[in-house]
Amino acid sequence: VIIGNPPYNVGQINENDNNKNRKYEHIDKRVKDTYSKDSKATLKNSLSDVYVKAFRFASDRISDEGIVCFITNNSFIDNIAFDGMRKHLGQDFDQIYVLDLGGNVRKNPKLSGTTHNVFGIQVGVSINILMKKSNNTYAGRIHYARVDELWTKEQKYEFLETAENIYNLDWQLINPNSKNVWLTDDLEEDFDTFMGLGDKQSKSGKFNDAKTIFHKYSGGVLTARDAWVYNINAKHLTTNVSKMIETYNYELVRYQKNKNNITNIDDFVTNDSSKISWSSTLKKFLKAGKLLEFLKNNIRKSLYRPFVTSYLYFSDNFNDRIGKFDLIFPTPETEQENLIICVSGVGSSKPFHSLMVSCIPCLDILEKTQCFPFYIYDEDGSNKRENITDYSLQEFRQFYQDQTINKWDIFYYVYGILHHPEYRRKYAANLKRELPRIPFLTPYPSLIGGGQNLKTLTPNPSPTGGGQNLKTLTPNPSPTGGGEIWFKEISQIGEKLAQLHVNYEQQKEYRLKLIENPDFSPSLVRGVGGFLRVEKMKLSKDKTEIIYNDYLTLKEIPPEVWEYKLGNKSALDWIIDQYQIKTEKRSGIINDPNRLEDEMYIVKLIQKIVTVSVETVKLVTELSECFLS
């Protein structure tokens, strides 16, 4: 019998801290060869958690017969990264009892750790009893029970004291599906019949073999040092990166002189966070004697958060993971023609959301962002090819009996479907567990008045939107019949949404009322700027006003603005949150969004995002009239 309460700690947050988890070479390899190998998740960092290693150790240690009793983080119950772990637990044990005590504050903002969590922590907790007996006829039986999510910890204590043992609980017998999901009640079975946007096998296979809509896709860029390699001001970014490179090269010279006497590089290099932000990769470069240099061409435009453009020092030396963006946006010129559909990734704790962009996106632009580009290139920007598969093109043409459908039509249709309110509602649970899958639709004219209220839109050859090659759509009074009506309608609404979201800086400024404070003196403002300098905006309680600064207030914000959300925040919330002066505590680096060359930029941006939000809500309403079946 193995009893324990293993620690729940994935690892250190910052490499400068020198606080890594202890290495357990044998157990780490066992986790890699079992739980990790059989996981379908893209991101598997959670499997580095100590409690996961404890499960692996205990499973091996009891051999043919025994009992494991652990109180642990409950994320292994339903998190996608633990699908391989759940598979092996089902194989390794005959009877599994999991009592879910809830309390995951990060997943449910209504909860308080001190009030609802049995340990007063942020992550959920479960009591797990796993039994293995030789020659047991009940192999792989999984029993699950959970307490009320909103119970206080005192209520949970009382429940446990009353229950006393597993035989006094009302257990649900779990039947895992083929993907090793234990809790399947909220999943829609027809989701598996839809065509996938992409999968790991196609992504890593030959370019023409994919049976998905896209050949390749990528996670957004993960830098592991945002304060250093992201900045709204390109000059400040240059200064920050140059400073870090200078420090690194100085440490390289020191290391080369002393390496024969160094046993632990972590203890040797400077950990001054005002001079450098280390990563395990950067320390490997140091050991290998790699000299680094600043390259001006590595400064690229990037979308850091929804509708928040920043500059990024794009380099695999200083970005922890660049994904496939050396093939998606290899040069600045490719930003003029390529487009990406970004979606929140598997395991996101927030509602599903999607955004189209035309430059390198941060991994956190959405949550765990996955990106599906229209074009793929070679690293020098040559050899442009369409990333939507010929397979999916033929499937769409055959289903809708329309040989005029092209890959741009499919691209915008996907974007339209991803914004359809019924799609997001019905498949919310599925979209948390795997990448989106896209349905083919058939018409139900009787449900919407014979289909006569659906516009058929035709492209105007005059492109708009800053060279993004997005067509302007104009109504055609001639309705068409047949199943393709849904496809065309959704594709063309998706194209309108794309034009709004990609070209948000070119939209009209919504006519908000700008109220000036006559008693304000710009001499009272700290730093450069004056009347229009922003430090931190505030939103009024009724959400009708933005207090821009002591001088300016923006009034009459329409209520529908707050309906357009990306995750738990509206588009306008993202602007208010990001466009403020921020100082990173560890490094002291300042990110100042004020533009001396265009002091009205942030005010105008707010007005444009209001327009984007209002128009998006209108288009989503149109989408809701397109019946999903």
Side-chain angles (χ1 to χ4, degrees):
V1 177
I2 298 178
I3 301 175
N5 173 217
Y8 325 149
N9 177 29
V10 173
Q12 66 181 16
I13 296 174
N14 192 294
E15 184 70 24
N16 287 32
D17 290 338
N18 292 335
N19 186 33
K20 299 183 181 76
N21 279 334
R22 178 180 170 184
K23 296 291 185 182
Y24 298 90
E25 292 185 6
H26 175 71
I27 296 299
D28 289 345
K29 186 175 186 303
R30 287 287 292 141
V31 170
K32 180 180 179 181
D33 292 344
T34 55
Y35 298 168
S36 182
K37 180 181 178 181
D38 287 335
S39 174
K40 303 298 182 184
T42 303
L43 299 175
K44 305 177 185 179
N45 294 347
S46 303
L47 295 176
S48 299
D49 208 316
V50 177
Y51 88 90
V52 176
K53 300 177 184 182
F55 269 111
R56 183 65 272 170
F57 162 79
S59 301
D60 292 341
R61 180 68 181 81
I62 63 172
S63 188
D64 295 331
E65 197 165 73
I67 300 174
V68 177
C69 306
F70 279 165
I71 301 176
T72 69
N73 184 327
N74 68 359
S75 57
F76 78 95
I77 299 171
D78 62 353
N79 191 301
I80 182 64
F82 298 90
D83 54 351
M85 177 178 172
R86 288 190 295 270
K87 174 182 177 181
H88 280 272
L89 291 179
Q91 292 173 348
D92 294 344
F93 293 92
D94 301 306
Q95 301 272 10
I96 297 174
Y97 292 87
V98 177
L99 175 56
D100 188 350
L101 298 176
N104 190 327
V105 179
R106 295 167 183 166
K107 187 180 289 187
N108 187 346
K110 295 180 181 179
L111 302 181
S112 163
T114 55
T115 302
H116 299 95
N117 190 289
V118 290
F119 292 140
I121 59 179
Q122 299 292 301
V123 300
V125 177
S126 63
I127 298 175
N128 316 291
I129 300 175
L130 304 89
M131 306 176 184
K132 185 175 185 181
K133 188 175 181 180
S134 58
N135 302 320
N136 196 322
T137 58
Y138 298 110
R141 279 201 173 183
I142 302 164
H143 310 266
Y144 176 78
R146 65 172 300 160
V147 301
D148 191 295
E149 179 76 355
L150 298 179
W151 275 4
T152 64
K153 62 183 178 183
E154 287 79 14
Q155 288 174 300
K156 294 173 184 177
Y157 294 161
E158 184 179 351
F159 170 81
L160 292 171
E161 188 172 359
T162 302
E164 291 188 334
N165 61 68
I166 62 174
Y167 302 109
N168 292 331
L169 295 181
D170 184 16
W171 297 100
Q172 171 190 355
L173 189 62
I174 295 295
N175 295 307
N177 67 14
S178 60
K179 298 176 182 177
N180 300 301
V181 177
W182 284 1
L183 307 181
T184 60
D185 289 351
D186 295 332
L187 300 179
E188 296 289 338
E189 292 183 6
D190 63 337
F191 191 78
D192 290 338
T193 67
F194 303 158
M195 186 179 294
L197 283 191
D199 61 44
K200 289 201 299 183
Q201 288 73 28
S202 299
K203 179 182 177 182
S204 58
K206 293 182 180 179
F207 194 74
N208 293 320
D209 289 347
K211 302 298 183 182
T212 52
I213 293 177
F214 292 89
H215 290 283
K216 305 289 184 184
Y217 66 95
S218 173
V221 170
L222 172 64
T223 74
R225 51 172 67 85
D226 283 3
W228 287 90
V229 297
Y230 268 110
N231 206 288
I232 288 178
N233 186 301
K235 290 182 179 179
H236 293 170
L237 176 61
T238 298
T239 300
N240 296 336
V241 175
S242 298
K243 181 179 181 179
M244 187 163 71
I245 290 175
E246 182 181 356
T247 301
Y248 167 85
N249 286 335
Y250 177 79
E251 292 297 283
L252 176 64
V253 172
R254 281 206 316 127
Y255 177 77
Q256 292 292 335
K257 291 179 178 179
N258 297 279
K259 62 182 179 180
N260 292 334
N261 300 318
I262 297 170
T263 56
N264 188 342
I265 194 170
D266 294 338
D267 296 332
F268 174 78
V269 296
T270 178
N271 291 316
D272 187 343
S273 295
S274 68
K275 294 180 179 180
I276 192 169
S277 175
W278 289 105
S279 63
S280 58
T281 302
L282 208 55
K283 288 177 180 177
K284 287 179 182 177
F285 291 161
L286 192 79
K287 288 182 178 179
K290 183 176 182 179
L291 191 70
L292 300 180
E293 62 176 322
F294 176 84
L295 298 175
K296 186 177 179 181
N297 290 341
N298 285 348
I299 294 184
R300 298 287 301 276
K301 187 171 74 169
S302 175
L303 214 63
Y304 184 62
R305 295 294 184 268
F307 307 111
V308 178
T309 301
S310 184
Y311 289 99
L312 165 69
Y313 191 76
F314 181 63
S315 163
D316 55 6
N317 292 335
F318 293 100
N319 305 154
D320 199 50
R321 289 201 293 270
I322 64 170
K324 299 290 184 184
F325 282 94
D326 54 341
L327 307 177
I328 297 173
F329 287 121
T331 66
E333 291 73 26
T334 57
E335 296 168 8
Q336 301 304 310
E337 61 181 0
N338 203 7
L339 295 173
I340 306 174
I341 295 175
C342 297
V343 301
S344 51
V346 172
S348 171
S349 62
K350 299 178 177 65
F352 175 82
H353 43 305
S354 177
L355 184 66
M356 193 176 291
V357 304
S358 60
C359 61
I360 299 169
C362 175
L363 179 68
D364 298 317
I365 183 181
L366 308 179
E367 189 178 14
K368 303 178 181 178
T369 307
Q370 297 297 311
C371 310
F372 297 84
F374 188 84
Y375 291 120
I376 289 288
Y377 307 81
D378 288 348
E379 290 184 7
D380 61 358
S382 64
N383 192 24
K384 178 177 73 175
R385 54 232 190 249
E386 294 172 334
N387 188 42
I388 288 183
T389 63
D390 292 339
Y391 168 81
S392 66
L393 177 63
Q394 294 305 316
E395 290 291 306
F396 274 94
R397 285 178 172 178
Q398 181 175 344
F399 183 87
Y400 292 112
Q401 292 296 296
D402 185 353
Q403 293 300 308
T404 67
I405 290 174
N406 61 46
K407 292 183 178 181
W408 278 111
D409 295 331
I410 296 172
F411 190 69
Y412 294 127
Y413 172 79
V414 168
Y415 199 52
I417 286 290
L418 296 179
H419 280 80
H420 198 297
E422 178 63 12
Y423 176 83
R424 291 189 176 188
R425 183 203 65 77
K426 183 177 181 181
Y427 301 109
N430 299 79
L431 291 167
K432 286 184 179 295
R433 302 210 61 84
E434 60 180 297
L435 291 171
R437 304 179 73 86
I438 304 301
F440 293 106
L441 305 181
T442 53
Y444 283 80
S446 61
L447 296 176
I448 56 166
Q452 297 305 312
N453 62 334
L454 290 179
K455 298 188 296 293
T456 301
L457 304 176
T458 56
N460 183 327
S462 175
T464 62
Q468 295 302 329
N469 199 29
L470 298 176
K471 300 190 285 290
T472 300
L473 304 174
T474 54
N476 182 335
S478 251
T480 61
E484 75 277 7
I485 191 169
W486 295 115
F487 174 84
K488 290 180 178 179
E489 180 76 359
I490 292 174
S491 177
Q492 290 160 10
I493 292 174
E495 188 170 6
K496 286 184 176 181
L497 287 167
Q499 181 173 321
L500 269 176
H501 299 161
V502 171
N503 302 308
Y504 67 93
E505 291 187 293
Q506 283 77 52
Q507 301 307 312
K508 292 181 179 179
E509 296 152 21
Y510 195 92
R511 296 188 65 179
L512 300 176
K513 184 177 286 187
L514 276 56
I515 305 299
E516 302 168 356
N517 177 4
D519 299 325
F520 175 79
S521 171
S523 63
L524 300 176
V525 177
R526 298 187 298 275
V528 295
F531 291 98
L532 296 176
R533 177 177 171 79
V534 67
E535 291 195 0
K536 185 175 182 179
M537 292 179 274
K538 298 179 182 178
L539 185 65
S540 65
K541 289 185 178 180
D542 63 2
K543 293 191 171 185
T544 62
E545 301 178 6
I546 294 175
I547 297 94
Y548 184 85
N549 60 15
D550 291 338
Y551 169 69
L552 184 65
T553 299
L554 285 66
K555 295 191 172 186
E556 298 184 0
I557 299 172
E560 55 267 37
V561 162
W562 312 110
E563 296 178 32
Y564 175 41
K565 290 192 173 184
L566 295 114
N568 291 329
K569 292 182 181 178
S570 71
L572 192 54
D573 281 324
W574 281 112
I575 300 301
I576 295 170
D577 176 71
Q578 292 295 311
Y579 279 89
Q580 60 175 287
I581 298 175
K582 296 184 177 182
T583 303
E584 207 243 351
K585 291 181 181 179
R586 297 185 70 107
S587 63
I589 291 174
I590 297 173
N591 204 338
D592 186 344
N594 292 285
R595 300 187 181 190
L596 288 179
E597 73 281 5
D598 185 6
E599 291 186 318
M600 279 292 290
Y601 174 81
I602 300 175
V603 175
K604 291 179 178 178
L605 177 64
I606 290 170
Q607 294 172 296
K608 292 171 182 177
I609 295 303
V610 171
T611 297
V612 168
S613 301
V614 170
E615 294 303 313
T616 297
V617 170
K618 289 180 182 177
L619 290 168
V620 169
T621 300
E622 285 188 43
L623 278 173
S624 66
E625 298 173 0
C626 300
F627 188 78
L628 289 184
S629 64

